[in-house]
Amino acid sequence: MIKNYWNKGKKQKKIVIFFLIIVLIALFVLRDDYQPVLLFFRKYLFIILLCSIILFLGLRKFRSSSKTVKRIGVLVFMILFFSLFYAIGWHFKMYDYMKTYNVFNSLNKIEINELPLTQNERIQPLRNIFSMANESVGETKDVSLPHLVRVDDENKWTMAIQPSENYTIQQISDNTEEVFSVSSTTPFPRFSSENRIPVTFSIGESLKFSRNTYNAVVQRFNPWMLLNFEPSDTFYMKDDFGEWVEVVSLIEWKGFLFPYPTFGGVMVIENGEHNFNDYLERILIGKGTYINPEEMKNYPYLTKQNTLSEKVSRLQAESLKFLGGFSDPLPWNMETAVKIPDLADDQNQQPFVTDFDFSDTPYNAYSGLYHWFGLEPVGEKRTSLTFSVFIPSDGTDKLYYYDHAIKKQGYAGVSAMPLKVIESRKEFDWSVNKPVEFRPYIKNIAGRKRMFFLGTVSAIREGSNNFDGSATPDLAIIDSEYRDVVWIDAKRPSQWDKLIYDQLNESWRTSEGIGSYFIEESKSIDIATQVLDSLNTIPKIDKNQDQIDKLQRKIDSLKSVEN
């Protein structure tokens, strides 16, 4: 049809060329809108090709068959094939099974035999921080999801104060002009002026059109990245020059038969207001500086940092179910198959970003932020801790795991913790109070490393799904081996280990035969000696002295009256 229209004359050719140019410009400028479609075909290219070939051959056979019986047979075969293909691939999740197996084979797995210690424990759960941050902004503002990052050698929750999604005009016209940077180690997170950093980002997560973070990053992709990359979590942190930047974690899809996601580096967006030239750049080629995983070591602010997408780290941790072999996670085996336990009442599921100290271990791992997972057996009634998984949150190509099951330690897992806490405080109204976010707390107490879980009790309003943050939350530490719950004071982290010892030392002493720890040394106090008078004799006291003094006062008063 287009060819016939083209051959009609000059005018028609000009119209075709004009519309072709318009289409090409639209495809170039609007590539952020159709990129998810390209990525879909990239992920399922093998499946699409296989189904297309079967469909093509089946239809050709159907059309070439002259007999009705053969045609019906071809139709029945095709219906059975696609039904079986759907049931195995999607209903029984065999496609995800193969994808996870490819992830497992791509990992640089390192088994460790000594747990690292935790440090710089964060007091508040993520959802409490998110709730308190939203309480501190105005009607037309929203707060982005908090992320734990390293800022000036301190772990902080950072989030952008951005135009609200309920006010479209502000999303189109306003910038992101402030960032919250709140310490994670304090029980009193303050969202006042000193923790509200004035910084302007013309590209933000809630902004519209070319100023949206997702759109700007996708526009920056080259043709290869359009087919293989996608933006993920957005972090706010300081660069090596002390300037606040927006760091977008990227996911790269690898493989052909069953593509799987990996860490693809980051896109760094600088702060500052945009002029007309920036506007043209955003429209045409997007905004941001791409840093691939191999180059990130050249940027100190990106090392030991939290830049890894949780979507990637969850799949990496889940892939450890193949440690027993390809067929072990199948329903008739499952001897070593594990899962990531997701708690129904917890709005922030694993991984928990935690600061670990590997300095006293022989594994050449850095001390800093990691994505931690506590894996448990796949059965719903099994709540033991099977693996502790430590994935470097800066995207380093390593995965450390500690096998609790093979060491027969019998530790209770994350999913067992809520009931332990509830049982220890029956006076709480647990319908509106939820024990959440049980992150690891590993300390060297009473002669050896011991693993605990640090949980927070968060209030939730009746009829609401949002946690109500408290400046002084109730904290509980649970011994994963002895299952005892120790309630601690959030304001005094330096006393936590002693409180744990005071409550559990009798059990430890009975079971393990340990000695005494945390003993306060007795100090000798110098008592000042009394200085004696130089006279050794005791002066005599007249017993009638009081009466004599009383009479003398009367005589003195009579004399004064006569005068």
Side-chain angles (χ1 to χ4, degrees), residues 160-286:
I161 304 173
Q162 56 195 8
S164 172
E165 294 181 356
N166 298 322
Y167 294 87
T168 306
I169 299 298
Q170 282 83 352
Q171 288 181 282
I172 296 173
S173 60
D174 292 354
N175 295 322
T176 298
E177 296 181 345
E178 287 182 304
V179 170
F180 276 131
S181 179
V182 182
S183 173
S184 65
T185 58
T186 176
F188 311 106
R190 298 173 63 232
F191 297 86
S192 51
S193 57
E194 56 266 30
N195 291 331
R196 295 175 72 134
I197 312 302
V199 56
T200 299
F201 286 101
S202 296
I203 294 174
E205 298 171 76
S206 70
L207 303 184
K208 289 289 188 182
F209 308 122
S210 65
R211 302 197 309 137
N212 180 266
T213 299
Y214 175 87
N215 295 344
V217 171
V218 172
Q219 291 285 74
R220 200 67 167 179
F221 287 167
N222 58 40
W224 172 255
M225 296 177 74
L226 278 174
L227 292 171
N228 294 280
F229 284 72
E230 64 175 306
S232 185
D233 303 330
T234 302
F235 307 87
Y236 297 88
M237 62 188 70
K238 284 185 179 181
D239 64 11
D240 294 328
F241 303 99
E243 295 292 330
W244 282 89
V245 291
E246 192 175 345
V247 178
V248 182
S249 180
L250 301 180
I251 297 174
E252 181 182 4
W253 290 86
K254 294 183 177 180
F256 174 71
L257 295 182
F258 300 97
Y260 58 95
T262 62
F263 179 64
V266 296
M267 191 75 77
V268 179
I269 301 173
E270 297 178 353
N271 66 67
E273 294 188 15
H274 286 180
N275 53 30
F276 182 72
N277 292 334
D278 293 314
Y279 171 75
L280 291 178
E281 184 182 358
R282 283 201 320 263
I283 293 292
L284 297 176
I285 59 172

Side-chain angles (χ1 to χ4, degrees), residues 354-515:
T354 309
D355 196 342
F356 288 98
D357 181 9
F358 276 87
S359 60
D360 63 342
T361 62
Y363 306 112
N364 196 27
Y366 73 78
S367 296
L369 297 177
Y370 285 77
H371 287 196
W372 178 87
F373 294 86
L375 304 185
E376 301 176 6
V378 292
E380 293 183 3
K381 296 181 180 180
R382 299 292 178 263
T383 60
S384 62
L385 183 63
T386 305
F387 294 110
S388 284
V389 183
F390 310 86
I391 302 178
S393 60
D394 64 355
T396 301
D397 186 23
K398 290 181 181 179
L399 180 146
Y400 303 93
Y401 69 95
Y402 182 93
D403 194 338
H404 298 277
I406 202 170
K407 295 175 176 59
K408 298 182 180 180
Q409 292 179 325
Y411 287 177
V414 171
S415 57
M417 295 300 111
L419 284 179
K420 307 294 181 190
V421 174
I422 292 172
E423 185 182 6
S424 68
R425 286 285 174 93
K426 297 182 176 64
E427 67 273 17
F428 277 30
D429 183 359
W430 293 110
S431 63
V432 292
N433 292 284
K434 306 295 182 183
V436 298
E437 207 170 293
F438 291 94
R439 48 233 185 249
Y441 183 79
I442 306 171
K443 295 295 179 182
N444 203 335
I445 303 177
R448 69 177 177 91
K449 289 183 179 179
R450 301 180 185 273
M451 185 165 188
F452 308 88
F453 288 104
L454 173 62
T456 309
V457 177
S458 292
I460 184 169
R461 294 175 184 173
E462 199 168 348
S464 172
N465 291 324
N466 296 323
F467 287 131
D468 188 16
S470 169
T472 53
D474 291 307
L475 296 181
I477 290 180
I478 307 95
D479 189 329
S480 60
E481 185 177 3
Y482 288 81
R483 274 77 166 171
D484 200 3
V485 181
V486 182
W487 290 88
I488 57 175
D489 189 351
K491 304 172 187 175
R492 296 178 174 84
S494 60
Q495 298 181 7
W496 291 357
D497 291 358
K498 186 177 185 305
L499 287 171
I500 294 170
Y501 176 80
D502 289 342
Q503 181 165 327
L504 293 171
N505 76 88
E506 293 294 337
S507 300
W508 294 344
R509 190 172 288 110
T510 302
S511 177
E512 304 172 20
I514 65 170

Side-chain angles (χ1 to χ4, degrees), residues 111-123:
E111 183 177 2
I112 61 177
N113 295 308
E114 185 178 354
L115 287 171
L117 300 176
T118 55
Q119 59 185 1
N120 302 318
E121 269 72 26
R122 55 187 177 91
I123 307 297

Side-chain angles (χ1 to χ4, degrees), residues 342-359:
D342 290 330
L343 305 184
D345 292 329
D346 202 335
Q347 295 182 6
N348 180 36
Q349 305 295 352
Q350 295 183 40
F352 297 137
V353 182
T354 309
D355 196 342
F356 288 98
D357 181 9
F358 276 87
S359 60

